[in-house]
Amino acid sequence: QVQLVESGGGLVQAGGSLRLSCAASGRTFSSYSMGWFRQAPGKEREFVAAVNWNGRYTYYADSVKGRFTISRDNAKNRVYLQMNSLKPDDTAVYYCAARAGQDYSLRANLHDYWGQGTQVTVSS
């Protein structure tokens, strides 16, 4: 069992930055690949970024590539999402998710555990 708690969301102006953090419980954090997803009002949940178990491999949605960076610290049981050059279209609830296994997935339904989400609002 893994519990995930996101933090770091908030209100920021377009062009600004935020750093999301996701704290995971348990001693097997390195057994999971991690992902960030987001859901805007009236839209389906969408993939944002993923990282494999040791942080060596990452993948990004085209919409955030070059602006967002995912990273993890297995010693601290945390995964991060650094978001730069934020746009109003980035406004959403952001969720971190854990998938058992070493390889990441872009598919939400292949993740085993989810956090409660943190709101990110980007004003124009």
Side-chain angles (χ1 to χ4, degrees):
Q1 190 82 6
V2 176
Q3 291 185 326
L4 304 173
V5 179
E6 302 97 334
S7 61
L11 173 65
V12 64
Q13 288 188 330
S17 298
L18 283 174
R19 188 193 194 204
L20 305 184
S21 178
C22 175
S25 65
R27 294 180 288 178
T28 59
F29 180 65
S30 60
S31 299
Y32 294 85
S33 63
M34 299 296 296
W36 285 97
F37 293 78
R38 66 187 182 186
Q39 187 166 18
K43 295 186 177 181
E44 292 187 354
R45 191 169 298 189
E46 65 173 0
F47 167 79
V48 175
V51 61
N52 77 322
W53 72 278
N54 64 2
R56 183 174 181 181
Y57 298 105
T58 58
Y59 193 85
Y60 299 91
D62 287 344
S63 58
V64 307
K65 200 173 296 182
R67 300 188 298 122
F68 290 11
T69 301
I70 188 171
S71 61
R72 67 188 295 163
D73 185 337
N74 286 348
K76 295 182 178 180
N77 281 16
R78 286 184 178 264
V79 62
Y80 305 97
L81 186 68
Q82 177 68 44
M83 305 186 296
N84 298 328
S85 302
L86 282 161
K87 306 174 181 179
D89 284 349
D90 295 319
T91 295
V93 177
Y94 282 72
Y95 300 89
C96 73
R99 177 176 185 268
Q102 297 183 346
D103 299 327
Y104 58 70
S105 172
L106 312 186
R107 295 172 56 182
N109 63 353
L110 293 184
H111 287 73
D112 303 288
Y113 302 100
W114 292 83
Q116 83 290 347
T118 185
Q119 176 71 46
V120 172
T121 303
V122 184
S123 63
S124 57

